[in-house]
Amino acid sequence: MGLLLLLHLLAAVGAPLLVRWWGRQAFLALALVPAAAFGWALTQLGTVVGGGDVRETVTWIPALDLQIALRLDALALTFAALVTGVGALVLVYCARYFEPDDEGVGRFAGVMTAFAGSMLGLVLADDVLVLYVFWELTTVFSFLLIGGSGAKLAGRRAASQALLLTTAGGLAMLVGLLMISSASGSRLLSEIVADPGSGPVLVAGTMLVLAGAVTKSAMVPFHFWLPAAMEAPTPVSAYLHAAAMVKAGIYLVARLAPGFADVPGWRPVVLGLGVATMLIGGWRSLRQNDLKLLLAFSTVSQLGFLITLVGAGSEELAAAGLAMTIAHALSKSTLFLSVGVIDHATGVRDLRLLSGLGRRMPALAVISTLAAASLVGLPPFLGFVGKEAAFTALWEGGVPDRLTAVVVLVGLVLGSVFTAAYCARYLWGAFARKPGLPDSAPEELEHHPGPLFLAAPAVLALAGLVAGPASPLLDHLVVVYAETLPLIAPEAEHLALWHGWQPALGLSALTLLGGAALFALRSPFMRLQHRLAVGASADEGYWNVLQGLDRLAVLVTGTTQRGSLPAYLGTILVVVLALPGSVLLFQAPWPQEWRAWDTPLQAVVGAVVLIAAAVAVPLRQRLSAVLVVGVTGYGLALLFVLHGAPDLALTQFLVETLSLVVFVLVLRKLPSDISERHRPVERTIRAVLAISAGVLMAGVGAAALGARTATPVSTDIPELALIEGHGENVVNVILVDIRAWDTLGELSVLVVAATGVASLVFLRGRTGAVDRPGEEHASGADPTEARRAPKSRWLSASSSLAPQRRSVVLEVATRFLFHPIVVFSLFLLFSGHNQPGGGFAGGLVAGLALVLRYLAGGRYELGEAARVSPGLLLGSGLLLAGGSGVISLLLGGAALESAYFSGEVPVLGSVSLPTALFFDVGVYLIVVGLVLDVLRSLGAEQDRQEDEQDQQDPAETAPEEVIAR
């Protein structure tokens, strides 16, 4: 089973490439993937019909007891066969639905195949978390399929509507699944259903799970997203909205019904919404003139029918529900595909404009008639067998409450009348000749359907016809699932085409006669519908709710977000002081022994830090304030040194130095002085808040030390770092091995931050190019600005600077120091596993070397020093850091777990190499890329903009400004 899911994934990834090579014929190759899954499912029939199941479990994270558990039983096999069988035929259909020159076909093929794999995973999942993952994957892929390329506004609106509703329902379902898992004590669906537990937690969780099911299957009042989704291409409607995605809710209800049907609230919700949805969907379908919309509302109606049957909680109705689920998938997929053929051939879906198409396309008319006959419930189709079983079960009391059974039966009979009427209207509208309307002439048929185009709907329609007489064989599969529910009626009837003369047969005849009468009186009935139409609708209510939320968001944002950073920070600090501060003051375990310092030097450094912080407050010059604040950072580094943490001290020194550089670069765009606009009262309040927050954090640190009762984990880490991480530098081993996943997440944040900074500066595009002398760049640099220098002259780009901006001392120092600094950064990188250093410290040192080149020679010198794109460094570093985990997996360890190589290497001699070194190299590249990106955006780009401004307004640039820059 896992192999089949992996096969779908590989096919989805390779689909765009196949479409590029083979065009639309690639769909035929992609259809082999779900076809193979369908064939595999059929091979398991013997095991499943015998009452067994097929299980497959892959351990994911043993420490968290997370596993990928898959299970194939009778219910899963039924839905898996539908998902894969219909999916394969729809992909074959796509090979003729799309034109060779259509755009976006490769993307569509990949997403469609990925959806098929996600739907297969959903019905096979036995773990609730795996179920939820596949559930949301179908939501995401359906969003992509409905929205298409995003060029159409209606498609984007429909896709976002479906995404919001089904995602909201999915989140509610996730909470519900966790609650029922907690109540039952297991995360496996098979065990949860066998012993669901009891109590209010179970009841609440069940209602939340049902919320997810009813939104996914378009139950009232969430039904409106399905008709709106008809903006999607016809293959999407035929697969997602007839046989797959909307069946996910039906599947979930059917899966839980054996254990949850007696939970308080289950039957009122399922039966009430099911009957209401069947009636409302049928009523709305009779008002539609677009063939796809007619089928969409009829699908809503039939989904209500199905969820009523599978959720009733009885053996007899469950059997009928599975039979009707199969019949509906076969019939409705056929009808949707037929509409696609009509639309493809004529460009028209409005039934008021189509006439005589049955004579022009007789094969399609026959196919559609077969599908409609099964949906209506005519013998000998499977739809007749399923509907007869449903009517019989309800007539004989297939629901515990007799009155409920009668009400449900009446609702289903009336809904079936609507079914017969809208099926007749569909056939009449699509194929019949209409008075006063000319027949569709042959020349109006732009694309006459060929055999391959009609193959998929023909196979599906014939399957519905053959399955009726073969229903006794199907009964062997259906009954295995049905017997997991209690038998409420006096006896359970097996699926069969003929059960003799009984009330259910009369009810079926009544629905057919009623539907025929309703179709014959369609004109007065439509006038009645218009008279009874209400102004409000669920769709309008949805958009009104969204508009209301938007207005509320604007109001709340306008009230709370005033654009004042001190106000935001003050609010946060007040909350921290009020809540954690109160707990700290009254309940914190304070240390029994206090020690002010370990050495008097710590007191001296601490005093310097406090003095620097106090001096920074009244300063009004931004540069002076930044330099004084930097003293606090360097003081902290000295405290690390005094505490015996050279690795932390080195990193702190480097970070503080680089931070000062960034501050100075940013200050070029700000006024030199800090304006004072606050009253003394405001300054006093801010001072109190700041001092209180500082005291609070000091108290938190002291309380944390006093609260320790267990042996510190740090006592074992040095030995663990040496044995498991093969390194003596504890800090480095923690970063690249013990907590490598945390480091990888932090690296991702660094990459995002660098990209964000660059995107804010480079508004037109982020190409990664850095200006070099004599070259043209997308950033707009004029190559004439740079005076070429001989290639043999090092630091040659400094000649592009104005004489007033050059420093001979800095240039000479840079010539001597740049290469040693780079070599030192590499030394820190390769020695960091056992000595102070590592990829982060080494990258910072290399970054400071680039800063030195930039300060000495300007933006052109930066381009000469680093000719590589910062984005390439960031991406390569992240790929290398994450990809290093693959090495551990190949060597039999866990992801990102260090492996170790020690031995003699020619030339190099004795070598000890942990795989964590590759992770550290990735860290090094990311830090260098980050520094380069900052220099390029906050430094070089600002220089370029200033140079352009100077060229445009040379008279307005005073000489002292040039000297200052």
Side-chain angles (χ1 to χ4, degrees), residues 242-273:
M245 177 179 170
V246 293
K247 293 294 194 300
I250 307 298
Y251 166 78
L252 184 59
V253 171
R255 173 61 70 194
L256 297 179
F260 290 80
D262 293 326
V263 171
W266 173 281
R267 284 193 176 91
V269 171
V270 172
L271 299 181
L273 291 181

PDB file of all heavy atoms in Angstrom, residues 242-273:
ATOM      1  N   ALA A 242     -17.692  13.985  -7.899  1.00  0.00           N
ATOM      2  CA  ALA A 242     -18.651  12.905  -8.110  1.00  0.00           C
ATOM      3  C   ALA A 242     -18.183  11.597  -7.491  1.00  0.00           C
ATOM      4  O   ALA A 242     -18.982  10.876  -6.896  1.00  0.00           O
ATOM      5  CB  ALA A 242     -18.898  12.709  -9.625  1.00  0.00           C
ATOM      6  N   ALA A 243     -16.887  11.316  -7.605  1.00  0.00           N
ATOM      7  CA  ALA A 243     -16.418   9.997  -7.185  1.00  0.00           C
ATOM      8  C   ALA A 243     -15.383  10.021  -6.083  1.00  0.00           C
ATOM      9  O   ALA A 243     -15.109   8.987  -5.485  1.00  0.00           O
ATOM     10  CB  ALA A 243     -15.817   9.257  -8.396  1.00  0.00           C
ATOM     11  N   ALA A 244     -14.790  11.168  -5.781  1.00  0.00           N
ATOM     12  CA  ALA A 244     -13.643  11.137  -4.868  1.00  0.00           C
ATOM     13  C   ALA A 244     -13.811  12.081  -3.693  1.00  0.00           C
ATOM     14  O   ALA A 244     -14.248  11.686  -2.617  1.00  0.00           O
ATOM     15  CB  ALA A 244     -12.366  11.451  -5.654  1.00  0.00           C
ATOM     16  N   MET A 245     -13.492  13.362  -3.884  1.00  0.00           N
ATOM     17  CA  MET A 245     -13.373  14.264  -2.738  1.00  0.00           C
ATOM     18  C   MET A 245     -14.659  14.346  -1.920  1.00  0.00           C
ATOM     19  O   MET A 245     -14.629  14.253  -0.694  1.00  0.00           O
ATOM     20  CB  MET A 245     -12.971  15.656  -3.220  1.00  0.00           C
ATOM     21  CG  MET A 245     -12.886  16.674  -2.092  1.00  0.00           C
ATOM     22  SD  MET A 245     -12.374  18.273  -2.687  1.00  0.00           S
ATOM     23  CE  MET A 245     -12.659  19.281  -1.240  1.00  0.00           C
ATOM     24  N   VAL A 246     -15.783  14.542  -2.582  1.00  0.00           N
ATOM     25  CA  VAL A 246     -17.028  14.675  -1.837  1.00  0.00           C
ATOM     26  C   VAL A 246     -17.432  13.364  -1.178  1.00  0.00           C
ATOM     27  O   VAL A 246     -18.278  13.355  -0.276  1.00  0.00           O
ATOM     28  CB  VAL A 246     -18.157  15.175  -2.755  1.00  0.00           C
ATOM     29  CG1 VAL A 246     -17.898  16.603  -3.207  1.00  0.00           C
ATOM     30  CG2 VAL A 246     -18.328  14.257  -3.960  1.00  0.00           C
ATOM     31  N   LYS A 247     -16.825  12.266  -1.619  1.00  0.00           N
ATOM     32  CA  LYS A 247     -17.102  10.982  -0.978  1.00  0.00           C
ATOM     33  C   LYS A 247     -16.282  10.798   0.306  1.00  0.00           C
ATOM     34  O   LYS A 247     -16.508   9.834   1.044  1.00  0.00           O
ATOM     35  CB  LYS A 247     -16.776   9.841  -1.946  1.00  0.00           C
ATOM     36  CG  LYS A 247     -17.696   9.756  -3.168  1.00  0.00           C
ATOM     37  CD  LYS A 247     -19.122   9.399  -2.777  1.00  0.00           C
ATOM     38  CE  LYS A 247     -19.946   8.983  -3.979  1.00  0.00           C
ATOM     39  NZ  LYS A 247     -20.062  10.024  -5.013  1.00  0.00           N
ATOM     40  N   ALA A 248     -15.330  11.715   0.556  1.00  0.00           N
ATOM     41  CA  ALA A 248     -14.494  11.572   1.754  1.00  0.00           C
ATOM     42  C   ALA A 248     -15.344  11.665   3.013  1.00  0.00           C
ATOM     43  O   ALA A 248     -15.151  10.910   3.969  1.00  0.00           O
ATOM     44  CB  ALA A 248     -13.407  12.645   1.760  1.00  0.00           C
ATOM     45  N   GLY A 249     -16.282  12.611   3.042  1.00  0.00           N
ATOM     46  CA  GLY A 249     -17.165  12.722   4.198  1.00  0.00           C
ATOM     47  C   GLY A 249     -18.053  11.510   4.348  1.00  0.00           C
ATOM     48  O   GLY A 249     -18.319  11.049   5.470  1.00  0.00           O
ATOM     49  N   ILE A 250     -18.538  10.980   3.225  1.00  0.00           N
ATOM     50  CA  ILE A 250     -19.351   9.761   3.258  1.00  0.00           C
ATOM     51  C   ILE A 250     -18.530   8.612   3.837  1.00  0.00           C
ATOM     52  O   ILE A 250     -19.008   7.837   4.679  1.00  0.00           O
ATOM     53  CB  ILE A 250     -19.846   9.403   1.842  1.00  0.00           C
ATOM     54  CG1 ILE A 250     -20.547  10.603   1.192  1.00  0.00           C
ATOM     55  CG2 ILE A 250     -20.756   8.191   1.882  1.00  0.00           C
ATOM     56  CD1 ILE A 250     -21.774  11.067   1.908  1.00  0.00           C
ATOM     57  N   TYR A 251     -17.272   8.510   3.382  1.00  0.00           N
ATOM     58  CA  TYR A 251     -16.409   7.444   3.879  1.00  0.00           C
ATOM     59  C   TYR A 251     -16.195   7.574   5.379  1.00  0.00           C
ATOM     60  O   TYR A 251     -16.250   6.573   6.112  1.00  0.00           O
ATOM     61  CB  TYR A 251     -15.065   7.487   3.146  1.00  0.00           C
ATOM     62  CG  TYR A 251     -14.003   6.655   3.810  1.00  0.00           C
ATOM     63  CD1 TYR A 251     -13.977   5.267   3.666  1.00  0.00           C
ATOM     64  CD2 TYR A 251     -13.032   7.242   4.628  1.00  0.00           C
ATOM     65  CE1 TYR A 251     -13.026   4.490   4.292  1.00  0.00           C
ATOM     66  CE2 TYR A 251     -12.074   6.476   5.257  1.00  0.00           C
ATOM     67  CZ  TYR A 251     -12.073   5.104   5.091  1.00  0.00           C
ATOM     68  OH  TYR A 251     -11.132   4.345   5.725  1.00  0.00           O
ATOM     69  N   LEU A 252     -15.922   8.788   5.850  1.00  0.00           N
ATOM     70  CA  LEU A 252     -15.631   8.969   7.270  1.00  0.00           C
ATOM     71  C   LEU A 252     -16.839   8.606   8.134  1.00  0.00           C
ATOM     72  O   LEU A 252     -16.701   7.961   9.183  1.00  0.00           O
ATOM     73  CB  LEU A 252     -15.206  10.412   7.532  1.00  0.00           C
ATOM     74  CG  LEU A 252     -14.771  10.736   8.959  1.00  0.00           C
ATOM     75  CD1 LEU A 252     -13.587   9.876   9.376  1.00  0.00           C
ATOM     76  CD2 LEU A 252     -14.427  12.211   9.100  1.00  0.00           C
ATOM     77  N   VAL A 253     -18.023   9.014   7.701  1.00  0.00           N
ATOM     78  CA  VAL A 253     -19.237   8.671   8.442  1.00  0.00           C
ATOM     79  C   VAL A 253     -19.438   7.154   8.444  1.00  0.00           C
ATOM     80  O   VAL A 253     -19.773   6.554   9.479  1.00  0.00           O
ATOM     81  CB  VAL A 253     -20.453   9.401   7.850  1.00  0.00           C
ATOM     82  CG1 VAL A 253     -21.756   8.875   8.460  1.00  0.00           C
ATOM     83  CG2 VAL A 253     -20.341  10.895   8.091  1.00  0.00           C
ATOM     84  N   ALA A 254     -19.235   6.541   7.282  1.00  0.00           N
ATOM     85  CA  ALA A 254     -19.386   5.088   7.209  1.00  0.00           C
ATOM     86  C   ALA A 254     -18.342   4.380   8.075  1.00  0.00           C
ATOM     87  O   ALA A 254     -18.632   3.361   8.718  1.00  0.00           O
ATOM     88  CB  ALA A 254     -19.257   4.623   5.761  1.00  0.00           C
ATOM     89  N   ARG A 255     -17.129   4.921   8.135  1.00  0.00           N
ATOM     90  CA  ARG A 255     -16.078   4.312   8.929  1.00  0.00           C
ATOM     91  C   ARG A 255     -16.400   4.359  10.422  1.00  0.00           C
ATOM     92  O   ARG A 255     -16.142   3.405  11.162  1.00  0.00           O
ATOM     93  CB  ARG A 255     -14.752   5.038   8.642  1.00  0.00           C
ATOM     94  CG  ARG A 255     -13.586   4.638   9.515  1.00  0.00           C
ATOM     95  CD  ARG A 255     -13.243   3.167   9.363  1.00  0.00           C
ATOM     96  NE  ARG A 255     -12.662   2.866   8.073  1.00  0.00           N
ATOM     97  CZ  ARG A 255     -12.520   1.634   7.598  1.00  0.00           C
ATOM     98  NH1 ARG A 255     -12.953   0.591   8.311  1.00  0.00           N
ATOM     99  NH2 ARG A 255     -12.003   1.415   6.399  1.00  0.00           N
ATOM    100  N   LEU A 256     -16.965   5.455  10.886  1.00  0.00           N
ATOM    101  CA  LEU A 256     -17.231   5.621  12.309  1.00  0.00           C
ATOM    102  C   LEU A 256     -18.580   5.086  12.751  1.00  0.00           C
ATOM    103  O   LEU A 256     -18.793   4.862  13.950  1.00  0.00           O
ATOM    104  CB  LEU A 256     -17.131   7.109  12.689  1.00  0.00           C
ATOM    105  CG  LEU A 256     -15.767   7.769  12.504  1.00  0.00           C
ATOM    106  CD1 LEU A 256     -15.839   9.236  12.903  1.00  0.00           C
ATOM    107  CD2 LEU A 256     -14.688   7.062  13.313  1.00  0.00           C
ATOM    108  N   ALA A 257     -19.503   4.898  11.820  1.00  0.00           N
ATOM    109  CA  ALA A 257     -20.869   4.511  12.184  1.00  0.00           C
ATOM    110  C   ALA A 257     -20.948   3.251  13.046  1.00  0.00           C
ATOM    111  O   ALA A 257     -21.740   3.214  14.004  1.00  0.00           O
ATOM    112  CB  ALA A 257     -21.723   4.345  10.926  1.00  0.00           C
ATOM    113  N   PRO A 258     -20.158   2.200  12.787  1.00  0.00           N
ATOM    114  CA  PRO A 258     -20.297   1.004  13.642  1.00  0.00           C
ATOM    115  C   PRO A 258     -20.039   1.266  15.123  1.00  0.00           C
ATOM    116  O   PRO A 258     -20.624   0.593  15.977  1.00  0.00           O
ATOM    117  CB  PRO A 258     -19.243   0.045  13.057  1.00  0.00           C
ATOM    118  CG  PRO A 258     -19.093   0.465  11.642  1.00  0.00           C
ATOM    119  CD  PRO A 258     -19.251   1.943  11.649  1.00  0.00           C
ATOM    120  N   GLY A 259     -19.204   2.221  15.454  1.00  0.00           N
ATOM    121  CA  GLY A 259     -18.922   2.479  16.859  1.00  0.00           C
ATOM    122  C   GLY A 259     -19.563   3.723  17.416  1.00  0.00           C
ATOM    123  O   GLY A 259     -19.646   3.886  18.644  1.00  0.00           O
ATOM    124  N   PHE A 260     -20.051   4.632  16.542  1.00  0.00           N
ATOM    125  CA  PHE A 260     -20.498   5.936  17.006  1.00  0.00           C
ATOM    126  C   PHE A 260     -21.965   6.238  16.705  1.00  0.00           C
ATOM    127  O   PHE A 260     -22.459   7.306  17.077  1.00  0.00           O
ATOM    128  CB  PHE A 260     -19.633   7.033  16.379  1.00  0.00           C
ATOM    129  CG  PHE A 260     -18.232   7.072  16.898  1.00  0.00           C
ATOM    130  CD1 PHE A 260     -17.274   6.187  16.428  1.00  0.00           C
ATOM    131  CD2 PHE A 260     -17.854   7.988  17.859  1.00  0.00           C
ATOM    132  CE1 PHE A 260     -15.980   6.208  16.900  1.00  0.00           C
ATOM    133  CE2 PHE A 260     -16.565   8.020  18.342  1.00  0.00           C
ATOM    134  CZ  PHE A 260     -15.615   7.131  17.863  1.00  0.00           C
ATOM    135  N   ALA A 261     -22.659   5.338  16.044  1.00  0.00           N
ATOM    136  CA  ALA A 261     -24.047   5.625  15.675  1.00  0.00           C
ATOM    137  C   ALA A 261     -24.937   5.831  16.890  1.00  0.00           C
ATOM    138  O   ALA A 261     -25.940   6.554  16.819  1.00  0.00           O
ATOM    139  CB  ALA A 261     -24.601   4.501  14.802  1.00  0.00           C
ATOM    140  N   ASP A 262     -24.587   5.215  18.010  1.00  0.00           N
ATOM    141  CA  ASP A 262     -25.391   5.361  19.225  1.00  0.00           C
ATOM    142  C   ASP A 262     -24.917   6.488  20.130  1.00  0.00           C
ATOM    143  O   ASP A 262     -25.481   6.695  21.210  1.00  0.00           O
ATOM    144  CB  ASP A 262     -25.379   4.039  20.012  1.00  0.00           C
ATOM    145  CG  ASP A 262     -26.105   2.926  19.279  1.00  0.00           C
ATOM    146  OD1 ASP A 262     -27.094   3.235  18.586  1.00  0.00           O
ATOM    147  OD2 ASP A 262     -25.671   1.758  19.369  1.00  0.00           O
ATOM    148  N   VAL A 263     -23.893   7.234  19.718  1.00  0.00           N
ATOM    149  CA  VAL A 263     -23.446   8.392  20.493  1.00  0.00           C
ATOM    150  C   VAL A 263     -24.552   9.455  20.446  1.00  0.00           C
ATOM    151  O   VAL A 263     -25.103   9.729  19.377  1.00  0.00           O
ATOM    152  CB  VAL A 263     -22.124   8.952  19.925  1.00  0.00           C
ATOM    153  CG1 VAL A 263     -21.762  10.278  20.590  1.00  0.00           C
ATOM    154  CG2 VAL A 263     -21.010   7.943  20.108  1.00  0.00           C
ATOM    155  N   PRO A 264     -24.900  10.062  21.565  1.00  0.00           N
ATOM    156  CA  PRO A 264     -25.963  11.078  21.565  1.00  0.00           C
ATOM    157  C   PRO A 264     -25.674  12.189  20.553  1.00  0.00           C
ATOM    158  O   PRO A 264     -24.590  12.755  20.526  1.00  0.00           O
ATOM    159  CB  PRO A 264     -25.925  11.622  23.006  1.00  0.00           C
ATOM    160  CG  PRO A 264     -25.365  10.501  23.814  1.00  0.00           C
ATOM    161  CD  PRO A 264     -24.379   9.799  22.927  1.00  0.00           C
ATOM    162  N   GLY A 265     -26.658  12.461  19.727  1.00  0.00           N
ATOM    163  CA  GLY A 265     -26.530  13.513  18.731  1.00  0.00           C
ATOM    164  C   GLY A 265     -26.127  13.028  17.355  1.00  0.00           C
ATOM    165  O   GLY A 265     -26.286  13.756  16.370  1.00  0.00           O
ATOM    166  N   TRP A 266     -25.603  11.805  17.249  1.00  0.00           N
ATOM    167  CA  TRP A 266     -25.147  11.312  15.940  1.00  0.00           C
ATOM    168  C   TRP A 266     -26.305  11.214  14.954  1.00  0.00           C
ATOM    169  O   TRP A 266     -26.257  11.821  13.878  1.00  0.00           O
ATOM    170  CB  TRP A 266     -24.461   9.967  16.109  1.00  0.00           C
ATOM    171  CG  TRP A 266     -24.107   9.281  14.810  1.00  0.00           C
ATOM    172  CD1 TRP A 266     -24.951   8.589  13.988  1.00  0.00           C
ATOM    173  CD2 TRP A 266     -22.817   9.240  14.173  1.00  0.00           C
ATOM    174  NE1 TRP A 266     -24.281   8.106  12.903  1.00  0.00           N
ATOM    175  CE2 TRP A 266     -22.967   8.495  12.979  1.00  0.00           C
ATOM    176  CE3 TRP A 266     -21.565   9.743  14.501  1.00  0.00           C
ATOM    177  CZ2 TRP A 266     -21.906   8.253  12.124  1.00  0.00           C
ATOM    178  CZ3 TRP A 266     -20.505   9.498  13.639  1.00  0.00           C
ATOM    179  CH2 TRP A 266     -20.677   8.770  12.466  1.00  0.00           C
ATOM    180  N   ARG A 267     -27.323  10.450  15.289  1.00  0.00           N
ATOM    181  CA  ARG A 267     -28.406  10.232  14.322  1.00  0.00           C
ATOM    182  C   ARG A 267     -29.180  11.511  14.014  1.00  0.00           C
ATOM    183  O   ARG A 267     -29.508  11.750  12.837  1.00  0.00           O
ATOM    184  CB  ARG A 267     -29.339   9.128  14.825  1.00  0.00           C
ATOM    185  CG  ARG A 267     -28.751   7.726  14.673  1.00  0.00           C
ATOM    186  CD  ARG A 267     -29.811   6.652  14.871  1.00  0.00           C
ATOM    187  NE  ARG A 267     -29.265   5.314  14.639  1.00  0.00           N
ATOM    188  CZ  ARG A 267     -28.739   4.545  15.581  1.00  0.00           C
ATOM    189  NH1 ARG A 267     -28.673   4.992  16.845  1.00  0.00           N
ATOM    190  NH2 ARG A 267     -28.264   3.347  15.277  1.00  0.00           N
ATOM    191  N   PRO A 268     -29.514  12.361  14.976  1.00  0.00           N
ATOM    192  CA  PRO A 268     -30.210  13.605  14.600  1.00  0.00           C
ATOM    193  C   PRO A 268     -29.418  14.456  13.615  1.00  0.00           C
ATOM    194  O   PRO A 268     -29.990  15.011  12.681  1.00  0.00           O
ATOM    195  CB  PRO A 268     -30.384  14.318  15.949  1.00  0.00           C
ATOM    196  CG  PRO A 268     -30.422  13.224  16.951  1.00  0.00           C
ATOM    197  CD  PRO A 268     -29.468  12.189  16.444  1.00  0.00           C
ATOM    198  N   VAL A 269     -28.105  14.541  13.821  1.00  0.00           N
ATOM    199  CA  VAL A 269     -27.291  15.353  12.917  1.00  0.00           C
ATOM    200  C   VAL A 269     -27.196  14.710  11.540  1.00  0.00           C
ATOM    201  O   VAL A 269     -27.445  15.355  10.507  1.00  0.00           O
ATOM    202  CB  VAL A 269     -25.881  15.563  13.516  1.00  0.00           C
ATOM    203  CG1 VAL A 269     -24.953  16.210  12.493  1.00  0.00           C
ATOM    204  CG2 VAL A 269     -25.954  16.422  14.766  1.00  0.00           C
ATOM    205  N   VAL A 270     -26.845  13.428  11.506  1.00  0.00           N
ATOM    206  CA  VAL A 270     -26.624  12.761  10.222  1.00  0.00           C
ATOM    207  C   VAL A 270     -27.925  12.636   9.439  1.00  0.00           C
ATOM    208  O   VAL A 270     -27.993  13.004   8.252  1.00  0.00           O
ATOM    209  CB  VAL A 270     -25.974  11.383  10.447  1.00  0.00           C
ATOM    210  CG1 VAL A 270     -25.913  10.608   9.135  1.00  0.00           C
ATOM    211  CG2 VAL A 270     -24.578  11.536  11.031  1.00  0.00           C
ATOM    212  N   LEU A 271     -28.963  12.136  10.071  1.00  0.00           N
ATOM    213  CA  LEU A 271     -30.222  11.935   9.359  1.00  0.00           C
ATOM    214  C   LEU A 271     -30.882  13.259   9.011  1.00  0.00           C
ATOM    215  O   LEU A 271     -31.412  13.432   7.895  1.00  0.00           O
ATOM    216  CB  LEU A 271     -31.169  11.080  10.210  1.00  0.00           C
ATOM    217  CG  LEU A 271     -30.653   9.670  10.551  1.00  0.00           C
ATOM    218  CD1 LEU A 271     -31.689   8.914  11.373  1.00  0.00           C
ATOM    219  CD2 LEU A 271     -30.307   8.888   9.288  1.00  0.00           C
ATOM    220  N   GLY A 272     -30.855  14.218   9.941  1.00  0.00           N
ATOM    221  CA  GLY A 272     -31.477  15.511   9.665  1.00  0.00           C
ATOM    222  C   GLY A 272     -30.809  16.238   8.521  1.00  0.00           C
ATOM    223  O   GLY A 272     -31.469  16.699   7.581  1.00  0.00           O
ATOM    224  N   LEU A 273     -29.477  16.354   8.573  1.00  0.00           N
ATOM    225  CA  LEU A 273     -28.767  17.046   7.504  1.00  0.00           C
ATOM    226  C   LEU A 273     -28.845  16.270   6.195  1.00  0.00           C
ATOM    227  O   LEU A 273     -28.926  16.872   5.115  1.00  0.00           O
ATOM    228  CB  LEU A 273     -27.303  17.255   7.903  1.00  0.00           C
ATOM    229  CG  LEU A 273     -27.035  18.247   9.033  1.00  0.00           C
ATOM    230  CD1 LEU A 273     -25.543  18.372   9.289  1.00  0.00           C
ATOM    231  CD2 LEU A 273     -27.634  19.609   8.721  1.00  0.00           C
TER     232      LEU A 273
END
